[in-house]
Amino acid sequence: MGTVDFRQLEERFALTLAKLENTVLTLPASDLLIADNMGLLIHTYGPLIKARERSAAAAFFMSWYAGVCGAMQHMLSCGDEQLLDLSLSNLSVQLYAGEHYPLFSFQINEARFSSIPIIDRDRWCKKTLDTFYADNVTPFIQILSRLAQLNAIPLWGQIVNALYAQMEEDLAAAPDEDRRTSIIYHFKMLTHGVKGQAFGLRKNPFDIKLNFTQHPNNPSHKVLVKTACCLAYSLDSEFGYCYECPRLKEKDRALMRAQQQ
């Protein structure tokens, strides 16, 4: 099945080859491009996380689907010879009961691959990213945006947050400089090599100016402020705002740091 590490895809990106047994709802991913089916998913998922608004359920679901985008980025930057098909037509969305809260898993219907060429590899990768986002991710976000009556930008923000965090983790874990170079190179391919049209926007949502703030526990380190709020504060709980939430002011973060100390 090529050079793809399926165990890593399952552990890091919520992808699996298995059909789960304890599912609450399972739907072919391509069926979610139909409003009634996406509505069924959101209306089933929302109460399980105590979401008071559909927008919160939509944002949380998109943060899960961000794993699929992360897997795509990971496979390209690893230098593999083959790329696993992660199109909506080859995935099934599985909502299942975890030990403490509901989880999503994206089942790969068939382990099929495209060969990554050596000649003109960069052009092939850019075209593949363009097609992947234009044909799969953008339609997902557009239907969620309409259904949840939420602007598309915060939904894109969930993927942007996840992929920037993934890049930082990958760079920290990179075994050598060649691997670090590949991670950065392929991320720039996403941020600057794909036009806004593929995302249904005037501008590529990954092409942003990063904003950093003081690490909550280590004053000598910085952490990346998220590009969009995950809406966790709107759940029927006392979760509140994340430390990296863009809605927070610096004085709020200072108070959070003081409370932790």
Side-chain angles (χ1 to χ4, degrees):
M1 290 191 287
T3 58
V4 172
D5 185 344
F6 281 97
R7 176 177 294 182
Q8 188 172 54
L9 292 183
E10 185 166 9
E11 291 176 351
R12 292 193 64 190
F13 305 112
L15 287 164
T16 181
L17 292 170
K19 177 180 286 188
L20 304 181
E21 295 181 356
N22 56 333
T23 55
V24 177
L25 182 67
T26 300
L27 288 167
S30 56
D31 283 5
L32 294 176
L33 296 180
I34 299 172
D36 287 347
N37 293 327
M38 183 66 86
L40 173 62
L41 178 71
I42 295 303
H43 289 132
T44 302
Y45 179 51
L48 297 177
I49 59 172
K50 298 181 180 180
R52 296 191 295 266
E53 303 290 340
R54 284 181 295 180
S55 57
F60 268 61
F61 172 65
M62 193 48 57
S63 70
W64 279 99
Y65 182 68
V68 178
C69 303
M72 170 67 72
Q73 200 65 30
H74 172 77
M75 287 187 290
L76 290 177
S77 65
C78 274
D80 291 341
E81 297 177 356
Q82 292 186 311
L83 186 70
L84 180 64
D85 180 5
L86 297 180
S87 61
L88 295 180
S89 61
N90 197 38
L91 295 176
S92 293
V93 178
Q94 301 181 108
L95 171 61
Y96 67 101
E99 186 175 350
H100 302 292
Y101 43 79
L103 308 171
F104 281 101
S105 179
F106 298 89
Q107 182 190 5
I108 301 162
N109 299 330
E110 181 183 347
R112 56 179 184 242
F113 300 86
S114 298
S115 296
I116 302 177
I118 298 176
I119 300 175
D120 287 337
R121 185 183 189 278
D122 285 2
R123 186 173 65 175
W124 185 92
C125 288
K126 288 179 182 179
K127 183 178 179 181
T128 296
L129 282 171
D130 188 287
T131 300
F132 173 72
Y133 279 94
D135 294 352
N136 300 280
V137 189
T138 296
F140 240 30
I141 285 183
Q142 289 175 339
I143 195 167
L144 265 176
S145 175
R146 292 193 298 269
L147 184 69
Q149 297 182 333
L150 179 67
N151 190 283
I153 297 298
L155 294 174
W156 277 112
Q158 308 313 310
I159 302 176
V160 174
N161 290 340
L163 265 62
Y164 269 97
Q166 175 183 323
M167 180 183 65
E168 293 294 324
E169 292 173 5
D170 287 349
L171 288 173
D176 51 49
E177 193 59 33
D178 286 346
R179 183 77 177 95
R180 290 176 58 85
T181 300
S182 180
I183 292 167
I184 294 171
Y185 181 80
H186 286 88
F187 200 80
K188 286 184 177 179
M189 189 179 291
L190 171 64
T191 59
H192 294 87
V194 184
K195 303 298 183 183
Q197 183 178 0
F199 307 98
L201 303 171
R202 286 185 293 179
K203 180 185 175 183
N204 182 325
F206 294 93
D207 183 9
I208 57 172
K209 181 179 179 181
L210 301 182
N211 183 24
F212 292 87
T213 190
Q214 182 180 320
H215 192 284
N217 302 315
N218 191 339
S220 64
H221 286 71
K222 298 286 186 180
V223 293
L224 181 64
V225 176
K226 294 180 178 179
T227 61
C229 176
C230 67
L231 302 183
Y233 77 91
S234 68
L235 301 182
D236 187 14
S237 67
E238 298 180 357
F239 185 86
Y241 291 97
C242 305
Y243 179 78
E244 303 88 354
C245 182
R247 292 173 181 260
L248 285 181
K249 297 180 180 179
E250 282 306 314
K251 64 178 182 179
D252 299 320
R253 294 194 182 92
L255 179 61
M256 294 173 75
R257 288 196 296 271
Q259 290 173 340
Q260 288 186 16
Q261 295 172 1

